[in-house]
Amino acid sequence: MAQTTSGVPGSPGRPHLPDIFSARTHLATKWALPVVLGLVYGFWAAANRRDGGPITGWNVLFGFVSALAFMALLIGVRAVAPRLKRELHAVAWGAFAGIAFGFLYSQTGASVLRSCGNALVVAGFVTAVLFYRYYTHEDAAGHKVE
């Protein structure tokens, strides 16, 4: 098969991009990314909750518990979502993003209704974007189109 130069993702003759990182780097990133994102999320949740007040031991504990919960959920979604069909794959990431955003927003003192409404908007947007991406980059069986 001749190589095409169209540059269109998923075209039959498109050459694969080289993997410039080693397997060790990928493994380190696989575990470091949830930890870093979790710590940022926990700090953000604690900062929202204290609302500019003094940092207390309970506030620090809340931040670390939020970080641990975020890390566990992120690792769980990363493990389960790729095994799902593209529709459910997109819904899983959308739900994760919506819940994470809604929790952060609820720590600002906003009403439950407003927090849920904004979380649903974020979840719907993330689901729509990811469904489009999976729909255009996978076949019906969920295999990546190369």
Side-chain angles (χ1 to χ4, degrees), residues 30-78:
K30 178 181 177 180
W31 291 105
L33 189 64
V35 170
V36 170
L37 290 177
L39 289 174
V40 169
Y41 186 87
F43 173 77
W44 195 348
N48 283 352
R49 187 168 188 146
R50 71 182 175 89
D51 195 28
I55 298 174
T56 64
W58 291 113
N59 186 252
V60 173
L61 178 65
F62 176 78
F64 278 113
V65 170
S66 298
L68 287 173
F70 182 88
M71 287 183 235
L73 290 173
L74 179 58
I75 291 169
V77 171
R78 280 180 44 185

Side-chain angles (χ1 to χ4, degrees), residues 62-124:
F62 176 78
F64 278 113
V65 170
S66 298
L68 287 173
F70 182 88
M71 287 183 235
L73 290 173
L74 179 58
I75 291 169
V77 171
R78 280 180 44 185
V80 172
R83 298 181 184 145
L84 301 172
K85 293 169 63 174
R86 62 183 168 207
E87 295 86 1
L88 295 175
H89 190 175
V91 168
W93 281 111
F96 174 75
I99 291 168
F101 178 82
F103 179 73
L104 283 179
Y105 195 80
S106 72
Q107 296 308 308
T108 64
S111 70
V112 173
L113 187 60
R114 187 169 189 161
S115 297
C116 289
N118 286 338
L120 284 173
V121 168
V122 169

